[in-house]
Amino acid sequence: MSIASKIQELQNDLPKNVTLVAVSKTKPVSDLQEAYDAGQRVFGENKIQEMAKKWEQLPKDISWHMIGHVQRNKVKYMAKFVNLIHGVDNYKLLKEIDKQAKKHDRVINCLLQIKIAEEDSKFGMSAKDATELLASEAFQQLKNIAIVGVMGMATFTDNLTQVQQEFKHLKVTFDSLQQKQPNITVISMGMSGDYELAISAGSTMVRIGSSIFGARNYQP
């Protein structure tokens, strides 16, 4: 099945309130263009400089999402065009995004990454940390960022009950934060292998790569 066919199938299957982020990391511009021609407008990358190169070459109505772990010293490379940063897990990173956004007279939308998986390799803050951050005076000073939701990555396991529990934990965290911050409307959870489970748990944004583009093209 072609990339275009997979995009159209997913767009038809997903509920209307769920945004499809086509995860295009390691993929050539030609693959992204094919997805774009099929109507896809939201793309997710996990390396800032790779995303910046693709932004230069592709149509400017694409919404670019940074879905990987963000290094503060690289925020400047995407500040003028990125639409949503998924993996914000500390105040220092938020402060840097705010600083770089201000240089371009922009407000950059961000998601707080909540740690829901048991794996040590997964990044993220606790629900308590997120609550305290949003209530802090330092956070109130940041005028060029907007926290619009939360993001989480489930444990990489075949135990679907565990994955479901982790997704439910993120939904509970989202509900709690939204009571204090009405602008929080996005729950980014679910990937190619578990997005249906994520949607049933309340996800409003799914990050799907291999089901659209095939396996990653990692260089040796």
Side-chain angles (χ1 to χ4, degrees):
M1 193 186 289
S2 68
I3 289 171
S5 300
K6 290 172 184 174
I7 287 284
Q8 286 161 355
E9 188 176 83
L10 276 165
Q11 288 172 341
N12 290 335
D13 287 349
L14 292 177
K16 293 288 178 252
N17 69 318
V18 176
T19 300
L20 170 62
V21 181
V23 178
S24 47
K25 57 189 182 182
T26 78
K27 294 299 173 181
V29 165
S30 57
D31 283 7
L32 280 75
Q33 185 66 54
E34 185 180 342
Y36 177 91
D37 292 341
Q40 182 63 23
R41 291 294 180 271
V42 184
F43 291 87
E45 293 282 332
N46 73 335
K47 288 194 165 55
I48 293 172
Q49 279 141 310
E50 181 182 344
M51 181 171 68
K53 283 179 185 172
K54 289 174 177 175
W55 169 75
E56 287 171 359
Q57 297 176 65
L58 285 158
K60 292 300 176 270
D61 62 335
I62 286 175
S63 176
W64 291 99
H65 289 206
M66 177 59 195
I67 62 169
H69 184 64
V70 179
Q71 294 172 282
R72 291 203 304 276
N73 64 341
K74 292 186 177 174
V75 172
K76 60 191 175 198
Y77 298 116
M78 63 174 171
K80 66 181 174 183
F81 70 88
V82 70
N83 294 92
L84 183 63
I85 300 176
H86 286 232
V88 177
D89 60 359
N90 62 78
Y91 169 74
K92 284 183 178 177
L93 175 56
L94 265 184
K95 191 176 178 184
E96 181 63 22
I97 296 167
D98 183 77
K99 174 184 161 186
Q100 298 299 334
K102 191 173 184 179
K103 289 179 183 177
H104 297 281
D105 197 24
R106 299 186 67 212
V107 174
I108 295 178
N109 291 329
C110 301
L111 304 179
L112 293 181
Q113 182 168 0
I114 308 297
K115 190 174 185 341
I116 57 174
E118 292 181 356
E119 296 157 302
D120 291 336
S121 60
K122 296 280 197 300
F123 293 98
M125 55 174 64
S126 68
K128 181 173 177 284
D129 289 342
T131 303
E132 288 175 357
L133 170 67
L134 293 177
S136 71
E137 201 170 307
F139 172 75
Q140 309 302 327
Q141 304 304 312
L142 305 180
K143 304 301 182 191
N144 290 79
I145 55 102
I147 302 298
V148 297
V150 295
M151 182 269 246
M153 296 177 70
T155 302
F156 187 67
T157 175
D158 292 331
N159 183 346
L160 295 182
T161 304
Q162 181 181 344
V163 172
Q164 192 169 32
Q165 286 303 118
E166 291 170 356
F167 286 154
K168 281 181 180 174
H169 173 62
L170 187 61
K171 177 64 164 67
V172 168
T173 302
F174 167 84
D175 289 342
S176 170
L177 294 176
Q178 192 185 45
Q179 286 175 0
K180 302 179 184 72
Q181 301 272 344
N183 293 337
I184 289 180
T185 57
V186 177
I187 310 179
S188 172
M189 63 181 179
M191 300 188 288
S192 289
D194 56 21
Y195 72 89
E196 288 166 327
L197 207 57
I199 290 169
S200 68
S203 176
T204 66
M205 185 175 282
V206 292
R207 309 177 299 271
I208 299 181
S210 55
S211 292
I212 297 170
F213 298 108
R216 306 268 180 267
N217 300 333
Y218 289 119
Q219 299 298 319

